[in-house]
Amino acid sequence: MNKDKVFYQSKFEHYRVMNMWIVIASCISSLFYVISDWYLFGEINMVTVPARTAILIPFAVFMIVNAKVKDYRVIVPLSYLIAHSIMWCTIWACVYLPDLTFASDGFIIIMAIFIFFGFAAPGKWSVIFTGLIFLDIGVANIFLHYPELLMMLILGIPFYGGICLVVWAMERSYVYQYVAQRMLEESAYHDQLTGLFNRNIIDTLMDENKSLQCFGGEDISVLLFDIDLSCTE
């Protein structure tokens, strides 16, 4: 694993729990858009319910994978898939809505979700995955013909720039924390005089049963020296 992967894996693990709760909150919140649908219909109409509840399928997949996989290269793209799934569930619901005047407002609300997904993601990935939302709108406009498409772009493009700036700032902020953490780990597991591993490294080699982990079934030998004391005549 190269340095970039180590850094982004560390960043992901730091924000992993937050990322999971962002997915949960986003999916649950999107279900309540059905109430705004009823407002536009002027009555309780179940026609958009399948579109709104379809988000539960990718949400279930995410929760299963997230419980078993800890690699950011899997969970981060899957998280953004959830965000785009919310977008497409909304587009699906828009097919049945009598009025798309408020589509630009919903577009900005959904874009705001992408800010939070950028916390656990590599900055470059966030820029790309967030930018794909304009592709979503472009494809949807082919059959929805948004009456306020220009307004959506006027509001969305500067907002997208703001998201990229926030993501960049978040990543820069974590760099300082990451460096400080690595320095602490370095001093905790290495002897300051020789740079060799000290006795604390043994804790990282112990399993839950307080036994040394053996790799490939081979035995491990440990030899400790105390070289701090010096003799004087």
Side-chain angles (χ1 to χ4, degrees), residues 11-213:
K11 179 187 177 187
F12 169 74
E13 290 175 358
H14 182 75
Y15 290 107
R16 177 182 174 86
V17 175
M18 178 187 291
N19 184 77
M20 180 189 70
W21 282 106
I22 288 171
V23 170
I24 294 173
S26 299
C27 291
I28 293 177
S29 298
S30 69
L31 295 175
F32 288 93
Y33 278 135
V34 72
I35 297 176
S36 63
D37 297 341
W38 294 344
Y39 173 79
L40 293 175
F41 282 119
E43 62 180 357
I44 296 179
N45 192 322
M46 305 302 288
V47 69
T48 62
V49 171
R52 296 301 186 184
T53 57
I55 190 62
L56 296 177
I57 298 175
F59 171 68
V61 173
F62 172 86
M63 294 302 293
I64 293 172
V65 175
N66 185 68
K68 298 180 178 180
V69 180
K70 298 181 179 180
D71 194 331
Y72 79 96
R73 293 170 295 180
V74 175
I75 304 301
V76 168
L78 192 57
S79 300
Y80 277 103
L81 177 62
I82 291 292
H84 284 283
S85 296
I86 293 174
M87 183 67 186
W88 276 101
C89 286
T90 301
I91 292 171
W92 180 8
C94 285
V95 172
Y96 304 102
L97 296 179
D99 185 2
L100 297 180
T101 304
F102 299 100
S104 58
D105 299 328
F107 174 56
I108 295 301
I109 293 173
I110 293 176
M111 281 196 72
I113 297 175
F114 284 80
I115 297 177
F116 302 106
F117 283 111
F119 286 10
K124 294 179 181 179
W125 290 21
S126 182
V127 170
I128 295 173
F129 286 132
T130 302
L132 290 175
I133 196 171
F134 292 102
L135 178 61
D136 297 341
I137 290 297
V139 173
N141 187 62
I142 296 175
F143 53 88
L144 286 179
H145 306 293
Y146 291 112
E148 298 293 339
L149 177 62
L150 181 59
M151 181 57 68
M152 293 172 71
L153 296 178
I154 291 174
L155 295 175
I157 292 176
F159 197 10
Y160 170 67
I163 291 174
C164 295
L165 183 60
V166 169
V167 169
W168 176 83
M170 285 294 301
E171 187 160 300
R172 293 303 303 170
S173 297
Y174 186 73
V175 167
Y176 299 114
Q177 179 176 334
Y178 175 75
V179 171
Q181 178 181 335
R182 293 301 295 269
M183 291 178 64
L184 287 174
E185 291 177 353
E186 187 76 14
S187 62
Y189 296 113
H190 291 79
D191 179 75
Q192 293 183 356
L193 178 63
T194 64
L196 300 174
F197 287 121
N198 59 27
R199 61 187 299 274
N200 294 330
I201 196 65
I202 297 178
D203 293 335
T204 67
L205 301 176
M206 303 286 281
D207 59 22
E208 296 179 354
N209 298 320
K210 300 300 181 181
S211 300
L212 285 175
Q213 301 179 41

